Amino acid sequence: MKKLINSPETVVTDALAGMAAAHPSLSVDIENRVVTRADAPVAGKVGLVSGGGSGHEPLHAGFVGYGMLDAACAGEVFTSPVPDQIVIATTAANGGAGVLHVVKNYTGDVLNFQIAAECVADEGLHVERVLVDDDLATDSGLADGPGRRGTAAVIAVEKMCGAAAERGAGIREVAALGRTIVTRSRTMAFALAACTHPDQEQPSFELADYEVGMGVGIHGERGRERAPFGTADDLVDTVLTPIVETLGVARGDSVLAITNGLGSTHPLELHIAHRAVALQLAARGIHLARSLVGPYVTALDMAGCSITLVHVNDDLVTLWDEPVRTPALTW
Amino acid sequence: MKKLINSPETVVTDALAGMAAAHPSLSVDIENRVVTRADAPVAGKVGLVSGGGSGHEPLHAGFVGYGMLDAACAGEVFTSPVPDQIVIATTAANGGAGVLHVVKNYTGDVLNFQIAAECVADEGLHVERVLVDDDLATDSGLADGPGRRGTAAVIAVEKMCGAAAERGAGIREVAALGRTIVTRSRTMAFALAACTHPDQEQPSFELADYEVGMGVGIHGERGRERAPFGTADDLVDTVLTPIVETLGVARGDSVLAITNGLGSTHPLELHIAHRAVALQLAARGIHLARSLVGPYVTALDMAGCSITLVHVNDDLVTLWDEPVRTPALTW
């Protein structure tokens, strides 16, 4: 599998250099792999920081800017950022009103954000954390397991908490909002083909022509089960039904739906999947209040998509609609 | 090659239905495959219409909105829209100040836009055409050949002409601007892997692990030559050098650079390529005035990218910077 790179060792730093060239309005610390709003820290505003392994772009650096994140740190491909990076990002985002860490639920991310939070707490900085764990495929029901993985619901958390922070909400209020959004969000993904890590020759798993990987993860995790390949309508139904049932959304409820490309799935295909989402929600009497369609939380070049529903109310829709100006999300 | 579709026959209409669900602010005529600004026609404004085969999304429907296109029509995959569609789009875009057709140079597109222009001219509507022919790989130098193909420079034409139209420029002025942008633009693409048409099983061509397709087209055309696979820096140099030389841009000149993904190339890779563009321009003393990085003019799921340079001046940069609100381009 050919990749458009210079070497596996410089994938992340070379891409950050390209991001700096494309977006002179962002501050890109290539050495520490931290991307910051040019005007950070914004005095008196709660700072928002996220980060995680690379390979999921535009997540998270593509969401740095007015109305969303103040800073993001990028680990190596599919590898958590280290605590030092998170400390740098947190310090850069600190406008004196506290900093919110938006963390996807993976062991390394959770641990390293925790270490970083303890470091800056020693300096007197108030850090709250929102743990995003929307991936239904990893819901084991076990109280002592690692819990569900975090995936595309992180977009809703970063967007809506970012809007609340711009409005002047305090750190506890922004954190509570983020936790509310998490409880109202579920995601499930399916793959038509696996991804290939830039330092490997072979895909992370193999799928036959007649099968799809249901419940795949964004790090090339092979998924919960193999299911027969089918039409877009059928594949979407297979993931949408358990999401709807788990969230308990029903006739008269409103949702934000994110039809997210995992990397190499074409916009034509994503919109075909989103048509299925819209029709199946309508058939259940659920109101599709807002939509986001595109590759936002990718898994390198995996083919497939994830569907996220966020059970929204008027307040959440208003926060979603507020202005945002980042490389990947602007309105 | 699995595709996330319902059937090859409904790819375009199903995707348009998804687009309608995702963007209620656009008017989507699924039957005629025409996407229109919700507020079209804008009285007294020059209307902008484009279109072409599907499979290049977000081009063109993703560029319908304030500051860019008034209407776009979608042909079948890699197939020109028919004159009836173009007539519908042109009529919808007609605010009484004339309509500009932005046409990529392919025989079917040119012919069908010409037929449509003649139809509406019979109704007294003033239509001008800008023919976009930026693909350097197809520059045969022959006066009687089909000429160069049109590709990603169409984004610059649609964006800047759209801005001029919003400002109130007349039809002849907007058309002249478009033709100027075309003469100042060149593109070249390379593929790491070919695309697969939704009604076919096999890719449009095969590339070995050690080779890339240089000068590929956006309809799966196999390119001018096979070149050895190399680093992103080397591959970018191979396409950027002839573009710079053909445009005649030199030390002190300014360019807009579009590093465009052909479909399945990851944002990490596109930004690595864009770093190379930025460094190689800097080494030549050419000012990178503006950048656009992402999958904007795709060739289904082709892996690879195209590099476009537009030799800009202050006026063109100002037009590029003016507000735009479309599904794929917003600032």
Side-chain angles (χ1 to χ4, degrees), chain B:
Chain B
M1 184 78 189
K2 297 189 284 278
K3 301 276 187 184
L4 183 56
I5 63 176
N6 290 310
S7 81
E9 292 72 34
T10 61
V11 163
V12 176
T13 48
D14 283 358
L16 286 172
M19 191 152 196
H23 297 283
S25 64
L26 295 176
S27 295
V28 181
D29 176 345
I30 294 172
E31 186 187 344
N32 290 303
R33 289 172 280 130
V34 173
V35 177
T36 312
R37 257 173 83 160
D39 59 351
V42 181
K45 187 183 84 68
V46 169
L48 266 75
V49 171
S50 193
S54 294
H56 309 303
E57 288 70 17
L59 188 78
H60 292 275
F63 298 133
V64 173
Y66 177 86
M68 218 160 162
L69 297 179
D70 293 84
C73 39
E76 288 300 318
V77 172
F78 294 172
T79 303
S80 299
V82 297
D84 280 358
Q85 292 178 270
I86 305 168
V87 168
I88 291 167
T90 305
T91 305
N94 175 26
V99 174
L100 183 71
H101 283 175
V102 180
V103 184
K104 302 193 300 301
N105 189 30
Y106 296 97
T107 307
D109 289 23
V110 172
L111 183 66
N112 290 352
F113 270 93
Q114 179 63 32
I115 293 169
E118 287 166 9
C119 290
V120 295
D122 291 344
E123 313 285 322
L125 176 51
H126 184 166
V127 174
E128 293 270 346
R129 183 176 76 186
V130 172
L131 195 65
V132 182
D133 63 347
D134 52 312
D135 188 356
L136 194 53
T138 45
D139 198 337
S140 66
L142 299 175
D144 58 352
R148 292 182 301 267
R149 300 179 296 221
T151 171
V154 76
I155 305 168
V157 173
E158 294 177 3
K159 170 66 188 78
M160 294 172 184
C161 288
E166 296 292 351
R167 280 187 188 178
I171 178 69
R172 287 187 181 80
E173 186 185 345
V174 178
L177 169 68
R179 291 174 195 128
T180 298
I181 297 164
V182 170
T183 64
R184 298 170 77 103
S185 303
R186 288 294 183 279
T187 297
M188 200 156 154
F190 58 90
L192 309 189
C195 59
T196 306
H197 197 284
D199 66 8
Q200 287 163 11
E201 296 285 320
Q202 298 301 323
S204 55
F205 55 87
E206 293 284 351
L207 286 168
D209 281 350
Y210 55 83
E211 63 185 5
V212 295
M214 278 289 161
V216 295
I218 56 173
H219 304 102
E221 300 96 332
R222 69 176 55 234
R224 190 150 75 166
E225 59 179 358
R226 306 290 174 101
F229 179 58
T231 63
D233 287 352
D234 286 344
L235 293 171
V236 167
D237 179 63
T238 303
V239 295
L240 194 68
T241 297
I243 295 171
V244 166
E245 290 174 354
T246 307
L247 278 180
V249 286
R251 188 167 297 278
D253 288 336
S254 290
V255 295
L256 157 68
I258 302 172
T259 299
N260 172 62
L262 294 177
S264 68
T265 293
H266 193 262
L268 274 177
E269 298 173 87
L270 292 180
H271 283 89
I272 290 170
H274 194 67
R275 167 187 170 276
V277 170
L279 289 176
Q280 292 171 26
L281 289 172
R284 293 169 183 271
I286 298 167
H287 175 55
L288 177 57
R290 294 292 183 272
S291 297
L292 186 68
V293 183
Y296 290 102
V297 180
T298 60
L300 288 172
D301 52 359
M302 190 178 283
C305 76
S306 67
I307 309 292
T308 300
L309 294 186
V310 185
H311 179 189
V312 292
N313 53 30
D314 289 348
D315 289 345
L316 294 178
V317 170
T318 302
L319 289 167
W320 180 256
D321 285 347
E322 302 240 321
V324 60
R325 289 194 294 275
T326 71
L329 214 63
T330 292
W331 55 71

Side-chain angles (χ1 to χ4, degrees), chain A residues 220-236:
Chain A
E221 299 97 332
R222 68 175 57 236
R224 193 151 71 164
E225 60 180 356
R226 306 289 173 102
F229 179 58
T231 63
D233 286 352
D234 287 344
L235 293 170
V236 167

Side-chain angles (χ1 to χ4, degrees), chain A residues 52-123:
Chain A
S54 294
H56 308 303
E57 288 70 17
L59 187 80
H60 292 273
F63 299 132
V64 173
Y66 177 87
M68 220 160 161
L69 298 179
D70 293 85
C73 39
E76 287 301 317
V77 172
F78 294 170
T79 303
S80 299
V82 297
D84 280 358
Q85 291 178 270
I86 303 168
V87 168
I88 292 168
T90 305
T91 306
N94 174 26
V99 173
L100 182 71
H101 283 174
V102 180
V103 184
K104 300 192 301 303
N105 188 30
Y106 295 97
T107 307
D109 289 22
V110 172
L111 183 66
N112 290 352
F113 270 93
Q114 179 63 31
I115 294 169
E118 288 167 9
C119 290
V120 297
D122 291 344
E123 312 287 321

